[in-house]
Amino acid sequence: METLAFAVTTTPQDPVPQDDDVVAGPWGALIFVVLIGATVFLLFNFTKQLRKAQAAKDAGVFGDPPAEAADETDETDEPDDSDDARDAAEEAAHTEES
């Protein structure tokens, strides 16, 4: 126990470094450049995958109708709000006449 106390009290303490002494060095710069390069690569790759997914969706790969067919069916299958309002007005006019 006495040896441990002697070792703790006699070991030289590390001096606190000054603000100018602490630098990242070449390894920090290299890691920073690699992280920026990886981020740019991932952004380009993600954009490429999104374009491929949109092209596949437009082609109807995911079970949806192809984009051209979907545009045509939207116009003919579902009436828009103006058709509903017109139908309601015509129906109201017919009930008033009766």
Side-chain angles (χ1 to χ4, degrees):
M1 180 78 167
E2 193 174 304
T3 310
L4 180 63
F6 178 73
V8 170
T9 58
T10 60
T11 56
Q13 298 292 326
D14 289 334
V16 176
Q18 298 297 321
D19 290 338
D20 296 339
D21 293 338
V22 180
V23 294
W27 286 108
L30 179 66
I31 290 172
F32 184 72
V33 169
V34 167
L35 287 174
I36 296 234
T39 302
V40 169
F41 170 75
L42 288 174
L43 288 174
F44 277 109
N45 192 22
F46 186 59
T47 304
K48 179 181 166 184
Q49 294 300 324
L50 285 175
R51 287 184 185 146
K52 284 172 54 176
Q54 185 63 41
K57 181 182 177 189
D58 291 344
V61 173
F62 300 126
D64 296 334
E68 295 170 2
D71 291 340
E72 293 170 3
T73 57
D74 287 343
E75 293 175 5
T76 57
D77 289 345
E78 297 179 15
D80 58 355
D81 292 336
S82 62
D83 290 339
D84 291 339
R86 185 178 61 233
D87 292 341
E90 289 175 3
E91 192 172 312
H94 287 295
T95 56
E96 289 176 6
E97 291 175 3
S98 308

